[in-house]
Amino acid sequence: MSGLLKSSIGRKFAMALSALFLMFFLLQHFAINILSVFSADAFNKASHFMGTFWAVQYLLQPVLIFGVVFHFVMGFVLEIKNKQARQISYAKNNGAANSSWMSRNMIYSGLFILIFIVIHFIDFWIPELNVKYIGGDMSGLNPEGNFRYYHELQEKFEPMWRVALYCIGFVFLALHLLHGFNSAFQSVGANNKYTKGLKGISKVYAIGLPLGFIFIALFHHFNH
């Protein structure tokens, strides 16, 4: 792995693999959260399974955390390396004519998304760890004997400021994905006769998924 990361191509390839992994996780995360719009019971059961199944907690969760940290660290490393490699400034090279706004500002959208992820962890992940591993309560039940997940989700999206923050975060996620999706597939060599189809799928994913998360946040805010 260390040898792979020493070359520019290797770093981009590793970055792309981590991006594809995180995009798959986002899709899975959305699939569970959208259940909360249609059925509180289905959302509660899915959340309880994901929150207590040993393979998810002790195998997939550490891999996910590593993937998030690796992706953002590698993103900053690539940005630094790219700046060091530039011999001509954007003003002289007319970088705006050779690349999109999104590709030139991936580091900034990524930085905002990183801040957003930290806030999301503080809102959901850390309290969940506290209840399960510090409080020792793996039941997922509230004092009334019902699953607590759906109620906790609605409570989080009651304040308008938090809903607005999440909506802004998902807009930045869409901007990041619009370039990142295609870039990831190109970096792993998927630049062939299916490229046009991948571009279409990337737009649907990059715009549709964040819009779906925004819908979930707004739904629970207005239906609390």
Side-chain angles (χ1 to χ4, degrees), residues 162-176:
R162 181 180 277 115
V163 174
L165 179 65
Y166 271 72
C167 289
I168 293 171
F170 289 126
V171 169
F172 273 92
L173 177 62
L175 293 174
H176 198 75

Side-chain angles (χ1 to χ4, degrees), residues 44 137 139-152:
N44 279 329
D137 182 9
S139 69
L141 304 176
N142 58 24
E144 289 74 34
N146 303 312
F147 276 127
R148 56 183 170 78
Y149 308 106
Y150 184 82
H151 178 69
E152 289 177 353

Side-chain angles (χ1 to χ4, degrees), residues 17-198:
L17 288 180
S18 66
L20 292 172
F21 168 73
L22 293 176
M23 284 188 286
F24 176 79
F25 165 74
L26 273 175
L27 191 60
Q28 173 266 322
H29 194 52
F30 173 76
I32 293 176
N33 279 272
I34 196 65
L35 290 175
S36 66
V37 173
F38 302 104
S39 170
D41 184 57
F43 174 73
N44 279 329
K45 289 180 179 178
S47 298
H48 185 66
F49 172 79
M50 296 297 290
T52 56
F53 185 48
W54 67 269
V56 173
Q57 292 298 295
Y58 303 116
L59 295 179
L60 297 183
Q61 192 164 254
V63 171
L64 173 62
I65 298 300
F66 173 80
V68 171
V69 173
F70 179 86
H71 184 74
F72 282 99
V73 170
M74 189 55 58
F76 290 121
V77 169
L78 286 173
E79 180 67 13
I80 293 171
K81 294 291 184 181
N82 288 338
K83 285 186 175 181
Q84 290 175 345
R86 292 190 192 109
Q87 300 298 321
I88 304 175
S89 67
Y90 272 128
K92 294 180 181 178
N93 194 41
N94 195 13
N98 300 320
S99 59
S100 67
W101 180 91
M102 288 175 288
S103 65
R104 298 194 308 274
N105 292 278
M106 287 290 283
I107 190 68
Y108 300 111
S109 61
L111 182 60
F112 189 92
I113 293 168
L114 179 59
I115 296 171
F116 172 70
I117 289 175
V118 171
I119 295 172
H120 187 61
F121 277 9
I122 293 172
D123 280 345
F124 291 97
W125 190 62
I126 293 177
E128 187 71 11
L129 291 180
N130 181 57
V131 169
K132 290 189 298 187
Y133 299 114
I134 297 179
D137 182 9
M138 299 291 287
S139 69
L141 304 176
N142 58 24
E144 289 74 34
N146 303 312
F147 276 127
R148 56 183 170 78
Y149 308 106
Y150 184 82
H151 178 69
E152 289 177 353
L153 180 66
Q154 285 197 315
E155 280 191 335
K156 289 296 182 182
F157 288 122
E158 184 176 2
M160 190 63 215
W161 67 265
R162 181 180 277 115
V163 174
L165 179 65
Y166 271 72
C167 289
I168 293 171
F170 289 126
V171 169
F172 273 92
L173 177 62
L175 293 174
H176 198 75
L177 288 172
L178 278 169
H179 174 73
F181 193 107
N182 285 328
S183 180
F185 276 100
Q186 186 174 356
S187 295
V188 296
N191 192 13
N192 49 38
K193 63 180 181 179
Y194 301 111
T195 299
K196 188 175 181 180
L198 283 174

